[in-house]
Amino acid sequence: LNDKAAADAAKELAAAREERDIPRKVEVIRSLNNGDDEDEDEDVVVYSSGMFEDGQYARNTNLWDVTLEQNSSNICSLANLRDCHICVGGGFPVASLDHTLPNNATFEGWINGEDRRQGISGDACEVSFCFCPHTIWLVILIHGWPREAWEAVIQEDDYDQDDQHVVHFLVENVAEQYPDATVEFKTVAFVAGNIHGALKRLLPPKRKEEVR
């Protein structure tokens, strides 16, 4: 009986911590039909998240970099990339990867290739996105896209021809050819000057002195 009570208490504590942390999280979610379904709660999938205050200034000190932790039970298929959104504060969307949405902020993407930031060579291909007006950056890794294939794309440098968006190319071309390809969301970066007040409010006292 004591073991059950301890287990129940641990679950309640974990749930309370999760509820406390949600407003301070940066999340990448998938919302089917961009949230237009009747029962939206059943359609939202959290792919990755990171605590805003666990971030740090990037090499470019104008950016506040938040490392994302992958949800091992929810892996994003490359075919679903267009349905993904960056959210803060428990689900408030700040950027969308759906370039077809009306009135959506414009954004650009680049197929970088090898994950040079980590100094690790492998088959995963790094892709970065910058959301207008250059306030948010997202870095992802694509797994299951053979190195020789993405190296050829980078060398030819024509994936954005005829103003084709890089997300369109990844979803309609790459995912079509490699249906098992998946996405790992690595980091979200914010322009530090735009979130100066949030840094002052959310960072723990020992870290407030870091704010520039």
Short mmCIF file of all heavy atoms in Angstrom, two decimals, residues 118-151:
data_model
loop_
_atom_site.label_atom_id
_atom_site.label_comp_id
_atom_site.label_asym_id
_atom_site.label_seq_id
_atom_site.Cartn_x
_atom_site.Cartn_y
_atom_site.Cartn_z
N GLN A 118 28.11 20.18 -34.86
CA GLN A 118 28.43 19.18 -33.84
C GLN A 118 29.75 18.48 -34.12
O GLN A 118 30.21 17.69 -33.31
CB GLN A 118 27.29 18.14 -33.77
CG GLN A 118 25.93 18.71 -33.45
CD GLN A 118 25.89 19.37 -32.10
OE1 GLN A 118 26.55 18.92 -31.17
NE2 GLN A 118 25.15 20.46 -31.98
N GLY A 119 30.35 18.76 -35.28
CA GLY A 119 31.60 18.11 -35.62
C GLY A 119 31.45 16.62 -35.85
O GLY A 119 32.39 15.85 -35.65
N ILE A 120 30.26 16.21 -36.25
CA ILE A 120 29.99 14.79 -36.45
C ILE A 120 29.65 14.54 -37.91
O ILE A 120 28.78 15.21 -38.47
CB ILE A 120 28.80 14.32 -35.56
CG1 ILE A 120 29.12 14.55 -34.09
CG2 ILE A 120 28.49 12.86 -35.81
CD1 ILE A 120 27.96 14.30 -33.16
N SER A 121 30.32 13.60 -38.51
CA SER A 121 30.00 13.25 -39.89
C SER A 121 29.06 12.04 -39.87
O SER A 121 29.18 11.16 -39.03
CB SER A 121 31.27 12.92 -40.69
OG SER A 121 31.95 11.83 -40.11
N GLY A 122 28.14 12.02 -40.78
CA GLY A 122 27.19 10.92 -40.85
C GLY A 122 26.27 11.13 -42.04
O GLY A 122 26.50 12.01 -42.86
N ASP A 123 25.22 10.32 -42.12
CA ASP A 123 24.33 10.41 -43.26
C ASP A 123 23.23 11.46 -43.07
O ASP A 123 22.58 11.84 -44.04
CB ASP A 123 23.69 9.05 -43.52
CG ASP A 123 24.71 8.04 -44.06
OD1 ASP A 123 25.70 8.50 -44.66
OD2 ASP A 123 24.51 6.84 -43.86
N ALA A 124 22.99 11.90 -41.84
CA ALA A 124 21.93 12.88 -41.61
C ALA A 124 22.27 14.19 -42.30
O ALA A 124 23.42 14.62 -42.34
CB ALA A 124 21.73 13.11 -40.12
N CYS A 125 21.23 14.83 -42.84
CA CYS A 125 21.41 16.09 -43.57
C CYS A 125 20.82 17.24 -42.77
O CYS A 125 19.66 17.19 -42.37
CB CYS A 125 20.71 15.99 -44.94
SG CYS A 125 20.83 17.50 -45.92
N GLU A 126 21.62 18.27 -42.54
CA GLU A 126 21.15 19.44 -41.79
C GLU A 126 20.45 20.42 -42.73
O GLU A 126 20.92 20.71 -43.82
CB GLU A 126 22.33 20.14 -41.11
CG GLU A 126 21.91 21.35 -40.29
CD GLU A 126 23.10 22.11 -39.74
OE1 GLU A 126 23.60 21.71 -38.67
OE2 GLU A 126 23.52 23.09 -40.38
N VAL A 127 19.30 20.91 -42.26
CA VAL A 127 18.54 21.94 -42.98
C VAL A 127 18.21 23.04 -41.98
O VAL A 127 17.85 22.77 -40.84
CB VAL A 127 17.24 21.37 -43.58
CG1 VAL A 127 16.45 22.45 -44.31
CG2 VAL A 127 17.55 20.21 -44.52
N SER A 128 18.36 24.28 -42.39
CA SER A 128 18.05 25.40 -41.50
C SER A 128 16.98 26.28 -42.13
O SER A 128 16.90 26.41 -43.35
CB SER A 128 19.29 26.22 -41.17
OG SER A 128 19.89 26.73 -42.35
N PHE A 129 16.16 26.90 -41.26
CA PHE A 129 15.09 27.79 -41.70
C PHE A 129 15.23 29.12 -40.95
O PHE A 129 15.53 29.14 -39.76
CB PHE A 129 13.72 27.20 -41.40
CG PHE A 129 13.46 25.89 -42.09
CD1 PHE A 129 13.65 24.69 -41.41
CD2 PHE A 129 13.03 25.85 -43.40
CE1 PHE A 129 13.42 23.48 -42.03
CE2 PHE A 129 12.79 24.64 -44.04
CZ PHE A 129 12.99 23.45 -43.36
N CYS A 130 14.95 30.20 -41.66
CA CYS A 130 14.94 31.53 -41.04
C CYS A 130 13.57 32.14 -41.31
O CYS A 130 13.15 32.27 -42.47
CB CYS A 130 16.04 32.42 -41.61
SG CYS A 130 16.04 34.09 -40.93
N PHE A 131 12.88 32.51 -40.24
CA PHE A 131 11.53 33.05 -40.35
C PHE A 131 11.59 34.58 -40.33
O PHE A 131 12.20 35.18 -39.44
CB PHE A 131 10.65 32.53 -39.22
CG PHE A 131 10.45 31.04 -39.27
CD1 PHE A 131 11.38 30.18 -38.70
CD2 PHE A 131 9.35 30.50 -39.92
CE1 PHE A 131 11.21 28.81 -38.76
CE2 PHE A 131 9.17 29.12 -39.99
CZ PHE A 131 10.11 28.28 -39.41
N CYS A 132 10.94 35.17 -41.31
CA CYS A 132 10.93 36.61 -41.49
C CYS A 132 10.22 37.29 -40.32
O CYS A 132 9.24 36.75 -39.80
CB CYS A 132 10.22 36.94 -42.80
SG CYS A 132 10.24 38.66 -43.25
N PRO A 133 10.66 38.44 -39.89
CA PRO A 133 11.82 39.18 -40.40
C PRO A 133 13.10 38.84 -39.63
O PRO A 133 13.57 39.62 -38.81
CB PRO A 133 11.43 40.65 -40.19
CG PRO A 133 10.56 40.60 -38.96
CD PRO A 133 9.87 39.26 -38.96
N HIS A 134 13.60 37.64 -39.84
CA HIS A 134 14.87 37.18 -39.25
C HIS A 134 14.82 37.20 -37.73
O HIS A 134 15.75 37.63 -37.07
CB HIS A 134 16.03 38.03 -39.76
CG HIS A 134 16.06 38.17 -41.25
ND1 HIS A 134 16.26 37.10 -42.08
CD2 HIS A 134 15.88 39.24 -42.05
CE1 HIS A 134 16.22 37.51 -43.35
NE2 HIS A 134 15.98 38.80 -43.34
N THR A 135 13.72 36.73 -37.18
CA THR A 135 13.58 36.73 -35.73
C THR A 135 13.73 35.34 -35.13
O THR A 135 14.04 35.22 -33.95
CB THR A 135 12.21 37.29 -35.31
OG1 THR A 135 11.18 36.54 -35.95
CG2 THR A 135 12.07 38.75 -35.70
N ILE A 136 13.47 34.29 -35.89
CA ILE A 136 13.53 32.92 -35.38
C ILE A 136 14.27 32.04 -36.40
O ILE A 136 14.04 32.13 -37.60
CB ILE A 136 12.12 32.35 -35.13
CG1 ILE A 136 11.38 33.18 -34.08
CG2 ILE A 136 12.19 30.89 -34.67
CD1 ILE A 136 9.94 32.75 -33.88
N TRP A 137 15.14 31.20 -35.87
CA TRP A 137 15.85 30.21 -36.69
C TRP A 137 15.52 28.82 -36.17
O TRP A 137 15.42 28.60 -34.96
CB TRP A 137 17.36 30.43 -36.62
CG TRP A 137 17.84 31.66 -37.30
CD1 TRP A 137 17.80 32.94 -36.82
CD2 TRP A 137 18.44 31.74 -38.60
NE1 TRP A 137 18.33 33.82 -37.75
CE2 TRP A 137 18.74 33.11 -38.84
CE3 TRP A 137 18.77 30.81 -39.57
CZ2 TRP A 137 19.34 33.55 -40.01
CZ3 TRP A 137 19.37 31.23 -40.74
CH2 TRP A 137 19.65 32.59 -40.95
N LEU A 138 15.38 27.87 -37.10
CA LEU A 138 15.15 26.46 -36.75
C LEU A 138 16.14 25.60 -37.50
O LEU A 138 16.33 25.78 -38.71
CB LEU A 138 13.72 26.05 -37.11
CG LEU A 138 13.38 24.55 -37.01
CD1 LEU A 138 13.38 24.10 -35.55
CD2 LEU A 138 12.02 24.26 -37.66
N VAL A 139 16.78 24.68 -36.79
CA VAL A 139 17.71 23.74 -37.42
C VAL A 139 17.16 22.33 -37.23
O VAL A 139 16.78 21.94 -36.12
CB VAL A 139 19.12 23.84 -36.81
CG1 VAL A 139 20.05 22.78 -37.42
CG2 VAL A 139 19.71 25.23 -37.05
N ILE A 140 17.12 21.58 -38.32
CA ILE A 140 16.65 20.19 -38.26
C ILE A 140 17.69 19.27 -38.90
O ILE A 140 18.56 19.72 -39.65
CB ILE A 140 15.29 20.01 -38.99
CG1 ILE A 140 15.46 20.17 -40.51
CG2 ILE A 140 14.25 20.98 -38.45
CD1 ILE A 140 14.21 19.83 -41.31
N LEU A 141 17.59 17.98 -38.59
CA LEU A 141 18.36 16.96 -39.27
C LEU A 141 17.37 16.00 -39.94
O LEU A 141 16.36 15.62 -39.33
CB LEU A 141 19.24 16.17 -38.30
CG LEU A 141 20.44 16.86 -37.68
CD1 LEU A 141 21.18 15.89 -36.76
CD2 LEU A 141 21.38 17.40 -38.74
N ILE A 142 17.66 15.64 -41.16
CA ILE A 142 16.84 14.66 -41.88
C ILE A 142 17.58 13.33 -41.90
O ILE A 142 18.72 13.25 -42.36
CB ILE A 142 16.54 15.12 -43.31
CG1 ILE A 142 15.77 16.44 -43.29
CG2 ILE A 142 15.74 14.05 -44.06
CD1 ILE A 142 15.51 17.01 -44.67
N HIS A 143 16.92 12.32 -41.36
CA HIS A 143 17.48 10.96 -41.35
C HIS A 143 16.77 10.13 -42.42
O HIS A 143 15.58 10.31 -42.67
CB HIS A 143 17.28 10.32 -39.98
CG HIS A 143 17.95 11.05 -38.86
ND1 HIS A 143 19.27 10.88 -38.54
CD2 HIS A 143 17.46 11.98 -37.98
CE1 HIS A 143 19.58 11.66 -37.50
NE2 HIS A 143 18.49 12.34 -37.15
N GLY A 144 17.50 9.20 -43.01
CA GLY A 144 16.91 8.32 -44.01
C GLY A 144 16.96 8.87 -45.42
O GLY A 144 16.39 8.27 -46.34
N TRP A 145 17.62 9.99 -45.61
CA TRP A 145 17.87 10.55 -46.93
C TRP A 145 19.34 10.26 -47.23
O TRP A 145 20.22 10.84 -46.60
CB TRP A 145 17.60 12.05 -46.92
CG TRP A 145 17.72 12.75 -48.25
CD1 TRP A 145 17.81 12.17 -49.49
CD2 TRP A 145 17.73 14.17 -48.47
NE1 TRP A 145 17.88 13.13 -50.46
CE2 TRP A 145 17.84 14.36 -49.87
CE3 TRP A 145 17.66 15.28 -47.64
CZ2 TRP A 145 17.89 15.63 -50.44
CZ3 TRP A 145 17.70 16.55 -48.20
CH2 TRP A 145 17.82 16.72 -49.59
N PRO A 146 19.63 9.34 -48.14
CA PRO A 146 21.01 8.91 -48.35
C PRO A 146 21.96 10.07 -48.65
O PRO A 146 21.61 11.02 -49.35
CB PRO A 146 20.91 7.96 -49.56
CG PRO A 146 19.49 7.48 -49.53
CD PRO A 146 18.69 8.63 -49.02
N ARG A 147 23.16 9.95 -48.08
CA ARG A 147 24.15 11.02 -48.23
C ARG A 147 24.41 11.34 -49.69
O ARG A 147 24.49 12.51 -50.07
CB ARG A 147 25.45 10.61 -47.54
CG ARG A 147 26.63 11.52 -47.85
CD ARG A 147 27.88 11.08 -47.14
NE ARG A 147 27.91 11.54 -45.78
CZ ARG A 147 28.42 12.71 -45.40
NH1 ARG A 147 28.92 13.53 -46.29
NH2 ARG A 147 28.43 13.05 -44.14
N GLU A 148 24.56 10.31 -50.52
CA GLU A 148 24.87 10.58 -51.93
C GLU A 148 23.75 11.36 -52.61
O GLU A 148 24.00 12.15 -53.52
CB GLU A 148 25.15 9.27 -52.68
CG GLU A 148 24.00 8.27 -52.71
CD GLU A 148 24.02 7.31 -51.54
OE1 GLU A 148 24.71 7.61 -50.53
OE2 GLU A 148 23.35 6.26 -51.64
N ALA A 149 22.52 11.16 -52.13
CA ALA A 149 21.38 11.86 -52.73
C ALA A 149 21.39 13.33 -52.33
O ALA A 149 21.23 14.22 -53.17
CB ALA A 149 20.07 11.19 -52.31
N TRP A 150 21.55 13.64 -51.01
CA TRP A 150 21.52 15.05 -50.63
C TRP A 150 22.78 15.79 -51.04
O TRP A 150 22.75 16.99 -51.30
CB TRP A 150 21.19 15.25 -49.16
CG TRP A 150 22.01 14.62 -48.07
CD1 TRP A 150 21.66 13.55 -47.30
CD2 TRP A 150 23.28 15.06 -47.55
NE1 TRP A 150 22.62 13.28 -46.36
CE2 TRP A 150 23.62 14.21 -46.49
CE3 TRP A 150 24.14 16.10 -47.88
CZ2 TRP A 150 24.81 14.34 -45.75
CZ3 TRP A 150 25.32 16.24 -47.16
CH2 TRP A 150 25.65 15.37 -46.12
N GLU A 151 23.90 15.08 -51.14
CA GLU A 151 25.10 15.73 -51.64
C GLU A 151 24.91 16.16 -53.10
O GLU A 151 25.36 17.24 -53.51
CB GLU A 151 26.31 14.81 -51.52
CG GLU A 151 26.86 14.72 -50.10
CD GLU A 151 28.10 13.86 -50.01
OE1 GLU A 151 28.32 13.02 -50.93
OE2 GLU A 151 28.87 14.01 -49.04
#
